[in-house]
Structure formats: C-alpha cells, structure tokens
Amino acid sequence: MIFKYKDISLYYEKKGIGKEELVILPGWGDTRPSWNFLINLLADYYTIYTVDYPGFGNTSFPSHDLTIYDYTELINAWLQSLELTNPTLLGHSFGGRILIALTGYYQYPYKKLILMNAAGIKPKKTFKAKIRTMCYKFLRKLTKIFPKKIQKKWQEKLFSHFSSEDYKLLPISMRKTFQNIVNEDLSIYLKNIQAQTLILWGNNDTSTPIHDAYLMKKEIPNASLISFKNSGHFLYLEKFQQTLEQIVKFVEKE
C-alpha cells in the first residue's frame, strides 16, 4: 500500500486482523523482510503495520535532503491516516530515533512504545576520533594543491579511507541526510516522553551501546529496561524467542 505525503510515496504493509495494533519501524537501511518471521507469528493475534523509509525498499528517496524531523513528520502523518485506536509503536535502531522525536520532541500522545536498541543519543567523540577527523580535514585541504584532475581522485581515496561503512554504502543523494540524522542528539527530549515505554537491548551492542539504554531508562519517566546477555544490535534476530515473549507481554499489558 502507498501513503502519499508531500513529494514522498511511502510504501507500507498491513498484516493480521487482531484487535491490538502493532506498528514496527525498522532500523536504518533495514526493510520489512527481516521482520517477516516475527510478523507472521504475531499476525494471527494482532494487526501489524510495517513501513519502508524513503530510500529503502519500495519507497523512493525525494530530490532533497531530509532531517530526523522530516522522517518523524512523515511517519506521524502516516500513522494519523491509519486512524489507529491505541497502537503499540516498536522502533528498532533508527526507528527508535523516530519514536523519541515523535513522543519527546513533538510530544504526540501515543501510549505504548518499545525502544529496541534505539538510536538517538549522539556518542561523545573520543580523542582518537577527534584526531581522525582533524587528519581528514587537513588532508582534504591539501588536495587543493593538486591539479583538478588529480584532486577528485585523491578526495575519493580519502573519503573511502575515513568514512564509515554505512556512509560509504549509501548513494550520494542520501549522504547529507545520513549526516543530518546521526549528528542530531535527541537525548534532551527523553524526559518529555509520557508513554509507557519498554526498552529492549542487547548487552553487547556496539552500534547503540548499552549505556544508551541505561540513560533512556533513567530519563524516560515511565520506562522499564530488559537487557539480554550475549546479544548485539539485532536483538529480534539473535534472541528471537525471548524478544517475541517480551513484545507480546507488553502489548497485552493493561
């Protein structure tokens, strides 16, 4: 199905006919198929909605850069169009980032959130990372002494050496958007979240470290945290059964 918002045609799917409604917002670069096993098990009991973000899956990227607030406004408009009664919103990684902005910045009154290995807290730069950034900027400036034909070649080599894998895999049209998103620190909005919140986390997550989960638990007024040993960023795949049980328990909770 397609939801049109401004210049974006957002693709989403609906499965199940249960009374309880569950909305799944995947991580950055993730799409619906990785959630299918979990969705298919829950579809006999709930009505489940999943979405492809602009630039991934079946949703094309627009001809302009986006911010986290653009994504949040898009998702909220989509949710409003569905006319859901009392959904549980589950956000993994980037999806969690959207939920923090949705309920913490905009303060839309959704009642139940599941933040799974959620992004949104900007990590403090280590001394090593600061030196790395300084080196990149200095070497990039040095390339300007080369003839223009050589400049581009060396700039591409520097970019390849210093950039993260996630960044390098993106098409050029989405790189500024990625920068906009990862540079936005949403931690100041956590205290504004009034929804009943379940935080699910893998103890060994290196993408969104466990101390982010502790901060969310501390700052969100009505939050509980369940962490899983020997698991990383993709909790719903690594600890499938336990994750499924916690989701069901939370959705069914009065």
Side-chain angles (χ1 to χ4, degrees):
M1 291 182 273
I2 299 293
F3 169 69
K4 292 196 174 183
Y5 179 78
K6 297 181 180 179
D7 58 346
I8 296 172
S9 294
L10 185 74
Y11 180 83
Y12 70 97
E13 289 187 352
K14 172 185 176 182
K15 289 188 177 182
I17 55 173
K19 181 180 178 182
E20 299 287 351
E21 299 159 330
L22 175 64
V23 177
I24 296 176
L25 301 181
W28 178 263
D30 198 4
T31 51
R32 294 160 291 94
S34 68
W35 290 86
N36 277 346
F37 189 46
L38 185 144
I39 289 170
N40 289 335
L41 285 176
L42 293 175
D44 289 337
Y45 309 98
Y46 309 131
T47 300
I48 304 170
Y49 299 86
T50 50
V51 66
D52 283 342
Y53 304 120
F56 303 111
N58 294 330
T59 302
S60 299
F61 194 76
S63 58
H64 55 87
D65 301 325
L66 299 173
T67 67
I68 185 59
Y69 305 104
D70 293 321
Y71 279 95
T72 304
E73 289 175 4
L74 167 65
I75 293 300
N76 184 63
W78 168 61
L79 290 173
Q80 294 299 315
S81 75
L82 298 175
E83 298 183 345
L84 307 181
T85 53
N86 186 26
T88 298
L89 308 183
L90 186 161
H92 172 253
S93 194
F94 174 66
R97 193 188 293 268
I98 291 175
L99 292 187
I100 292 170
L102 188 72
T103 57
Y105 176 75
Y106 290 102
Q107 298 186 45
Y108 290 116
Y110 295 103
K111 294 181 180 179
K112 280 188 174 184
L113 304 182
I114 300 175
L115 298 177
M116 186 185 297
N117 299 87
I121 298 174
K122 187 176 179 181
K124 291 182 180 180
K125 272 194 173 183
T126 62
F127 178 73
K128 184 178 179 180
K130 289 178 182 178
I131 294 297
R132 185 178 175 85
T133 301
M134 289 172 60
C135 286
Y136 174 69
K137 289 180 178 179
F138 175 72
L139 292 172
R140 187 175 171 82
K141 283 182 180 179
L142 277 184
T143 63
K144 293 181 179 179
I145 68 174
F146 300 138
K148 286 187 176 181
K149 289 184 178 179
I150 301 176
Q151 273 185 37
K152 187 176 180 181
K153 180 180 177 182
W154 277 99
Q155 285 173 358
E156 286 174 352
K157 283 187 175 183
L158 287 173
F159 170 80
S160 179
H161 179 73
F162 284 95
S163 297
S164 69
E165 289 303 315
D166 283 346
Y167 190 78
K168 285 188 281 189
L169 289 171
L170 287 171
I172 293 174
S173 61
M174 292 184 67
R175 287 175 179 170
K176 177 58 178 173
T177 292
F178 183 79
Q179 289 177 333
N180 291 340
I181 289 167
V182 299
N183 287 329
E184 193 76 36
D185 186 4
L186 303 178
S187 61
I188 58 173
Y189 306 129
L190 294 172
K191 64 181 182 296
N192 298 331
I193 298 174
Q194 297 303 311
Q196 185 179 356
T197 305
L198 173 64
I199 303 168
L200 299 177
W201 223 274
N203 268 1
N204 296 334
D205 191 345
T206 55
S207 298
T208 50
I210 187 66
H211 60 69
D212 288 1
Y214 295 137
L215 177 61
M216 291 180 189
K217 169 66 172 64
K218 178 184 176 184
E219 294 294 322
I220 299 173
N222 189 15
S224 58
L225 168 63
I226 298 174
S227 59
F228 297 83
K229 294 181 179 179
N230 303 316
S231 56
H233 192 59
F234 294 94
L235 189 62
Y236 64 98
L237 297 175
E238 299 168 41
K239 298 287 184 179
F240 175 81
Q241 184 63 37
Q242 297 96 316
T243 301
L244 179 66
E245 290 172 1
Q246 294 302 329
I247 291 172
V248 171
K249 188 184 298 184
F250 186 71
V251 172
E252 299 288 340
K253 187 178 179 182
E254 293 294 333

mmCIF file of all heavy atoms in Angstrom, residues 225-246:
data_model
loop_
_atom_site.group_PDB
_atom_site.id
_atom_site.type_symbol
_atom_site.label_atom_id
_atom_site.label_comp_id
_atom_site.label_asym_id
_atom_site.label_seq_id
_atom_site.Cartn_x
_atom_site.Cartn_y
_atom_site.Cartn_z
ATOM 1 N N LEU A 225 13.461 -1.471 31.577
ATOM 2 C CA LEU A 225 14.543 -1.958 30.723
ATOM 3 C C LEU A 225 14.739 -3.453 30.913
ATOM 4 O O LEU A 225 14.836 -3.933 32.046
ATOM 5 C CB LEU A 225 15.842 -1.215 31.057
ATOM 6 C CG LEU A 225 17.144 -1.783 30.471
ATOM 7 C CD1 LEU A 225 17.121 -1.742 28.952
ATOM 8 C CD2 LEU A 225 18.347 -1.018 31.023
ATOM 9 N N ILE A 226 14.813 -4.164 29.790
ATOM 10 C CA ILE A 226 15.179 -5.578 29.796
ATOM 11 C C ILE A 226 16.363 -5.741 28.851
ATOM 12 O O ILE A 226 16.264 -5.435 27.656
ATOM 13 C CB ILE A 226 14.013 -6.476 29.345
ATOM 14 C CG1 ILE A 226 12.830 -6.328 30.302
ATOM 15 C CG2 ILE A 226 14.456 -7.936 29.266
ATOM 16 C CD1 ILE A 226 11.578 -7.062 29.859
ATOM 17 N N SER A 227 17.488 -6.184 29.387
ATOM 18 C CA SER A 227 18.681 -6.393 28.566
ATOM 19 C C SER A 227 18.947 -7.888 28.424
ATOM 20 O O SER A 227 18.587 -8.684 29.293
ATOM 21 C CB SER A 227 19.887 -5.684 29.172
ATOM 22 O OG SER A 227 20.147 -6.165 30.471
ATOM 23 N N PHE A 228 19.590 -8.250 27.323
ATOM 24 C CA PHE A 228 19.839 -9.651 27.001
ATOM 25 C C PHE A 228 21.340 -9.882 26.860
ATOM 26 O O PHE A 228 22.015 -9.173 26.109
ATOM 27 C CB PHE A 228 19.142 -10.030 25.688
ATOM 28 C CG PHE A 228 17.643 -9.930 25.748
ATOM 29 C CD1 PHE A 228 17.011 -8.707 25.563
ATOM 30 C CD2 PHE A 228 16.859 -11.047 25.990
ATOM 31 C CE1 PHE A 228 15.630 -8.596 25.619
ATOM 32 C CE2 PHE A 228 15.479 -10.960 26.043
ATOM 33 C CZ PHE A 228 14.863 -9.727 25.861
ATOM 34 N N LYS A 229 21.832 -10.868 27.591
ATOM 35 C CA LYS A 229 23.255 -11.193 27.520
ATOM 36 C C LYS A 229 23.597 -11.860 26.195
ATOM 37 O O LYS A 229 22.754 -12.485 25.562
ATOM 38 C CB LYS A 229 23.637 -12.121 28.680
ATOM 39 C CG LYS A 229 23.530 -11.471 30.054
ATOM 40 C CD LYS A 229 23.942 -12.452 31.144
ATOM 41 C CE LYS A 229 23.855 -11.803 32.519
ATOM 42 N NZ LYS A 229 24.226 -12.743 33.595
ATOM 43 N N ASN A 230 24.854 -11.706 25.812
ATOM 44 C CA ASN A 230 25.388 -12.367 24.612
ATOM 45 C C ASN A 230 24.567 -12.051 23.366
ATOM 46 O O ASN A 230 24.310 -12.910 22.518
ATOM 47 C CB ASN A 230 25.436 -13.888 24.816
ATOM 48 C CG ASN A 230 26.243 -14.280 26.024
ATOM 49 O OD1 ASN A 230 27.328 -13.744 26.261
ATOM 50 N ND2 ASN A 230 25.729 -15.209 26.813
ATOM 51 N N SER A 231 24.129 -10.815 23.232
ATOM 52 C CA SER A 231 23.403 -10.396 22.039
ATOM 53 C C SER A 231 23.802 -8.978 21.673
ATOM 54 O O SER A 231 24.231 -8.193 22.535
ATOM 55 C CB SER A 231 21.887 -10.491 22.257
ATOM 56 O OG SER A 231 21.506 -9.738 23.380
ATOM 57 N N GLY A 232 23.656 -8.643 20.384
ATOM 58 C CA GLY A 232 24.103 -7.355 19.892
ATOM 59 C C GLY A 232 22.972 -6.462 19.423
ATOM 60 O O GLY A 232 21.932 -6.354 20.067
ATOM 61 N N HIS A 233 23.180 -5.852 18.252
ATOM 62 C CA HIS A 233 22.268 -4.814 17.772
ATOM 63 C C HIS A 233 20.953 -5.370 17.224
ATOM 64 O O HIS A 233 19.928 -4.712 17.312
ATOM 65 C CB HIS A 233 22.977 -3.986 16.691
ATOM 66 C CG HIS A 233 22.256 -2.735 16.315
ATOM 67 N ND1 HIS A 233 21.965 -1.742 17.230
ATOM 68 C CD2 HIS A 233 21.748 -2.313 15.128
ATOM 69 C CE1 HIS A 233 21.324 -0.760 16.612
ATOM 70 N NE2 HIS A 233 21.181 -1.086 15.353
ATOM 71 N N PHE A 234 20.997 -6.566 16.656
ATOM 72 C CA PHE A 234 19.793 -7.127 16.034
ATOM 73 C C PHE A 234 19.141 -8.139 16.976
ATOM 74 O O PHE A 234 19.092 -9.337 16.710
ATOM 75 C CB PHE A 234 20.138 -7.735 14.673
ATOM 76 C CG PHE A 234 20.569 -6.689 13.681
ATOM 77 C CD1 PHE A 234 21.913 -6.398 13.508
ATOM 78 C CD2 PHE A 234 19.629 -5.982 12.951
ATOM 79 C CE1 PHE A 234 22.314 -5.420 12.609
ATOM 80 C CE2 PHE A 234 20.022 -5.000 12.049
ATOM 81 C CZ PHE A 234 21.362 -4.710 11.877
ATOM 82 N N LEU A 235 18.645 -7.605 18.052
ATOM 83 C CA LEU A 235 18.079 -8.409 19.127
ATOM 84 C C LEU A 235 16.946 -9.305 18.646
ATOM 85 O O LEU A 235 16.826 -10.458 19.064
ATOM 86 C CB LEU A 235 17.579 -7.474 20.228
ATOM 87 C CG LEU A 235 17.128 -8.088 21.542
ATOM 88 C CD1 LEU A 235 18.294 -8.799 22.205
ATOM 89 C CD2 LEU A 235 16.583 -7.004 22.459
ATOM 90 N N TYR A 236 16.103 -8.790 17.767
ATOM 91 C CA TYR A 236 14.927 -9.540 17.309
ATOM 92 C C TYR A 236 15.304 -10.748 16.444
ATOM 93 O O TYR A 236 14.466 -11.615 16.189
ATOM 94 C CB TYR A 236 13.958 -8.627 16.551
ATOM 95 C CG TYR A 236 14.495 -8.051 15.267
ATOM 96 C CD1 TYR A 236 14.198 -8.635 14.037
ATOM 97 C CD2 TYR A 236 15.307 -6.922 15.271
ATOM 98 C CE1 TYR A 236 14.687 -8.110 12.855
ATOM 99 C CE2 TYR A 236 15.796 -6.388 14.097
ATOM 100 C CZ TYR A 236 15.481 -6.979 12.892
ATOM 101 O OH TYR A 236 15.977 -6.448 11.708
ATOM 102 N N LEU A 237 16.548 -10.815 16.000
ATOM 103 C CA LEU A 237 17.040 -11.978 15.266
ATOM 104 C C LEU A 237 17.892 -12.879 16.166
ATOM 105 O O LEU A 237 17.796 -14.098 16.103
ATOM 106 C CB LEU A 237 17.864 -11.539 14.055
ATOM 107 C CG LEU A 237 17.119 -10.730 12.983
ATOM 108 C CD1 LEU A 237 18.099 -10.252 11.909
ATOM 109 C CD2 LEU A 237 16.010 -11.555 12.345
ATOM 110 N N GLU A 238 18.696 -12.265 17.007
ATOM 111 C CA GLU A 238 19.633 -13.016 17.847
ATOM 112 C C GLU A 238 18.947 -13.696 19.035
ATOM 113 O O GLU A 238 19.349 -14.782 19.458
ATOM 114 C CB GLU A 238 20.727 -12.076 18.358
ATOM 115 C CG GLU A 238 21.564 -11.442 17.245
ATOM 116 C CD GLU A 238 22.429 -10.318 17.775
ATOM 117 O OE1 GLU A 238 22.994 -10.470 18.878
ATOM 118 O OE2 GLU A 238 22.543 -9.272 17.099
ATOM 119 N N LYS A 239 17.955 -13.030 19.606
ATOM 120 C CA LYS A 239 17.207 -13.557 20.758
ATOM 121 C C LYS A 239 15.722 -13.550 20.399
ATOM 122 O O LYS A 239 14.903 -12.930 21.082
ATOM 123 C CB LYS A 239 17.473 -12.707 22.009
ATOM 124 C CG LYS A 239 18.922 -12.699 22.471
ATOM 125 C CD LYS A 239 19.313 -14.025 23.109
ATOM 126 C CE LYS A 239 20.736 -13.959 23.657
ATOM 127 N NZ LYS A 239 21.141 -15.224 24.304
ATOM 128 N N PHE A 240 15.408 -14.261 19.363
ATOM 129 C CA PHE A 240 14.067 -14.168 18.779
ATOM 130 C C PHE A 240 12.968 -14.548 19.761
ATOM 131 O O PHE A 240 12.010 -13.805 19.965
ATOM 132 C CB PHE A 240 13.981 -15.050 17.522
ATOM 133 C CG PHE A 240 12.610 -15.101 16.940
ATOM 134 C CD1 PHE A 240 12.159 -14.071 16.138
ATOM 135 C CD2 PHE A 240 11.757 -16.159 17.210
ATOM 136 C CE1 PHE A 240 10.880 -14.088 15.615
ATOM 137 C CE2 PHE A 240 10.476 -16.190 16.688
ATOM 138 C CZ PHE A 240 10.037 -15.153 15.881
ATOM 139 N N GLN A 241 13.079 -15.715 20.383
ATOM 140 C CA GLN A 241 12.022 -16.213 21.253
ATOM 141 C C GLN A 241 11.800 -15.285 22.449
ATOM 142 O O GLN A 241 10.658 -14.933 22.785
ATOM 143 C CB GLN A 241 12.357 -17.628 21.739
ATOM 144 C CG GLN A 241 11.260 -18.279 22.580
ATOM 145 C CD GLN A 241 9.966 -18.483 21.816
ATOM 146 O OE1 GLN A 241 9.980 -18.802 20.625
ATOM 147 N NE2 GLN A 241 8.841 -18.273 22.489
ATOM 148 N N GLN A 242 12.898 -14.879 23.083
ATOM 149 C CA GLN A 242 12.775 -14.011 24.258
ATOM 150 C C GLN A 242 12.208 -12.646 23.884
ATOM 151 O O GLN A 242 11.393 -12.077 24.622
ATOM 152 C CB GLN A 242 14.139 -13.831 24.927
ATOM 153 C CG GLN A 242 14.743 -15.114 25.470
ATOM 154 C CD GLN A 242 15.726 -15.758 24.506
ATOM 155 O OE1 GLN A 242 15.451 -15.849 23.303
ATOM 156 N NE2 GLN A 242 16.851 -16.192 25.028
ATOM 157 N N THR A 243 12.633 -12.129 22.732
ATOM 158 C CA THR A 243 12.124 -10.838 22.261
ATOM 159 C C THR A 243 10.636 -10.915 21.968
ATOM 160 O O THR A 243 9.863 -10.035 22.348
ATOM 161 C CB THR A 243 12.881 -10.399 20.991
ATOM 162 O OG1 THR A 243 14.277 -10.302 21.278
ATOM 163 C CG2 THR A 243 12.381 -9.052 20.493
ATOM 164 N N LEU A 244 10.241 -11.997 21.310
ATOM 165 C CA LEU A 244 8.825 -12.209 20.991
ATOM 166 C C LEU A 244 7.985 -12.234 22.267
ATOM 167 O O LEU A 244 6.921 -11.608 22.349
ATOM 168 C CB LEU A 244 8.663 -13.512 20.211
ATOM 169 C CG LEU A 244 7.245 -13.909 19.801
ATOM 170 C CD1 LEU A 244 6.688 -12.907 18.802
ATOM 171 C CD2 LEU A 244 7.235 -15.308 19.200
ATOM 172 N N GLU A 245 8.456 -12.947 23.269
ATOM 173 C CA GLU A 245 7.724 -13.056 24.532
ATOM 174 C C GLU A 245 7.545 -11.690 25.197
ATOM 175 O O GLU A 245 6.465 -11.386 25.719
ATOM 176 C CB GLU A 245 8.463 -14.008 25.486
ATOM 177 C CG GLU A 245 8.403 -15.463 25.054
ATOM 178 C CD GLU A 245 9.293 -16.350 25.907
ATOM 179 O OE1 GLU A 245 9.931 -15.815 26.852
ATOM 180 O OE2 GLU A 245 9.360 -17.560 25.635
ATOM 181 N N GLN A 246 8.590 -10.883 25.183
ATOM 182 C CA GLN A 246 8.512 -9.567 25.823
ATOM 183 C C GLN A 246 7.581 -8.624 25.058
ATOM 184 O O GLN A 246 6.851 -7.827 25.670
ATOM 185 C CB GLN A 246 9.910 -8.944 25.939
ATOM 186 C CG GLN A 246 10.848 -9.687 26.867
ATOM 187 C CD GLN A 246 10.317 -9.802 28.279
ATOM 188 O OE1 GLN A 246 9.597 -8.929 28.764
ATOM 189 N NE2 GLN A 246 10.677 -10.886 28.957
#
